[in-house]
Amino acid sequence: MDRTIQLFPDVAAIAQHAAGIFVDAARQAVRDRGIFRVAMAGGSTPKALHAVLLSDSFRSQLPFDKMQFFFGDERHVPPDHADSNYRMVNETFFSKTPVKPDQIFRIKAELQDAEKAALDYEQVLKTKFTLKLGELPRFDLMLLGMGNEGHTLSLFPGTTALRDNGRLVVRTWVGKLYTERITCTAPIANNSAAILFMIAGADKAPALKAVLEGPYEPDQLPTQYIKPSNGKLIFLVDSAAGGMLSKNLATT
Ligand code: 6PG
């Protein structure tokens, strides 16, 4: 597996580096296939990346008209809700770009039945990636974060979303948050051309050490399920989250 782990002093430095990776991936995909398809992440860490992408030097390099935006997961709320991942990305990125609504494919988490929302998004992916039976979408880039107990996407420890049942997108009951989520499954993530984790904060240090240096126990630490089969895996980590890692594991 092509894995890189890099340590940075803070989120701002992670975002600067991530923006370079984002732009390079976009330009490369457009050169190769005329389109760049990226899965955006929720949570709070991506906001810093969005701000850097909007700055003059990066913005001018992005092929906005040839980009399609997807989501790795969504909270079970309408798109205008404070917890919505779509709302966060829209406010901090889409709304400040020339990207048109028909380039954005969000998860319809306003549907009361989360299973319907999952099946609907699965269909969106099948159509947009013109998938044949059994095929998986291949994102040019998937942005990911990690929770302090090792979850990524909405793949939480001990939940049914971790079972590989051939689905691309599933609804998942997250008991500890008393809520449903809708999430892409690990096989989709693992079919990406590149996966970029941005991980910041001291609360994540033990889980990150366990994910990268502990035994393979992915049902406890779902981030361990993320291992692209034919793609790059990049961890950009701040010094707080990376504080427990062994010296030789990461480059600075
Ligand atoms: C979500 C995410 C989730 C997130 C991590 C990290 O919907 O919350 O998709 O997997 O990436 O929890 O979140 P932070 O960036 O806020 O630490």
Side-chain angles (χ1 to χ4, degrees):
M1 193 185 13
D2 180 355
R3 187 180 81 173
T4 316
I5 303 160
Q6 270 184 283
L7 282 183
F8 295 88
D10 52 26
V11 181
I14 289 180
Q16 279 293 330
H17 192 77
I21 293 172
F22 191 103
V23 165
D24 287 349
R27 291 163 65 99
Q28 183 69 46
V30 169
R31 264 198 305 275
D32 292 349
R33 284 179 311 285
I35 189 164
F36 173 61
R37 291 183 289 206
V38 56
M40 304 299 273
S44 58
T45 316
K47 293 178 190 170
L49 166 64
H50 301 162
V52 176
L53 288 174
L54 292 170
S55 66
D56 288 345
S57 49
F58 286 99
R59 192 188 177 92
S60 58
Q61 297 184 64
L62 283 171
F64 282 112
D65 58 330
K66 297 188 175 61
M67 297 167 76
Q68 288 187 340
F69 297 90
F70 297 83
F71 284 81
D73 73 327
E74 187 55 277
R75 286 90 180 269
H76 193 205
V77 293
D80 57 353
H81 192 282
D83 293 342
S84 163
N85 285 339
Y86 166 77
R87 177 176 164 166
M88 182 279 285
V89 181
N90 190 43
E91 284 183 357
T92 59
F93 187 65
F94 297 145
S95 63
K96 299 171 178 176
T97 71
V99 167
K100 302 201 178 71
D102 67 0
Q103 293 173 261
I104 301 167
F105 302 96
R106 66 172 183 84
I107 298 171
K108 293 210 184 91
E110 64 273 33
L111 294 174
Q112 218 179 353
D113 182 352
E115 176 68 1
K116 256 196 187 149
L119 288 169
D120 174 85
Y121 206 56
E122 205 164 90
Q123 200 47 53
V124 168
L125 294 177
K126 284 180 181 164
T127 307
K128 290 296 145 198
F129 285 81
T130 48
L131 301 182
K132 298 199 193 79
L133 197 68
E135 281 182 343
L136 297 169
R138 181 163 173 82
F139 291 110
D140 297 304
L141 179 65
M142 178 174 257
L143 302 178
L144 289 179
M146 188 191 79
N148 60 13
E149 83 298 51
H151 87 263
T152 189
L153 293 161
S154 282
L155 303 174
F156 285 83
T159 56
T160 53
L162 303 180
R163 301 282 73 80
D164 184 6
N165 56 6
R167 289 279 299 271
L168 306 181
V169 185
V170 293
R171 59 150 280 275
T172 177
W173 169 247
V174 186
K176 73 166 198 174
L177 301 173
Y178 203 78
T179 189
E180 300 247 48
R181 295 265 186 112
I182 299 111
T183 187
C184 288
T185 55
I188 290 203
N190 289 337
N191 202 43
S192 302
I195 295 177
L196 177 58
F197 274 97
M198 292 180 287
I199 303 177
D203 62 313
K204 297 178 180 170
L208 187 62
K209 175 147 182 96
V211 164
L212 296 175
E213 299 189 61
Y216 186 66
E217 291 270 355
D219 283 357
Q220 287 191 52
L221 297 158
T223 298
Q224 288 186 328
Y225 275 120
I226 307 302
K227 294 183 293 180
S229 43
N230 176 23
K232 284 188 258 181
L233 178 58
I234 304 161
F235 285 88
L236 306 184
V237 176
D238 78 347
S239 50
M244 290 173 69
L245 298 179
S246 300
K247 290 267 172 298
N248 299 332
L249 196 71
T251 55
T252 46

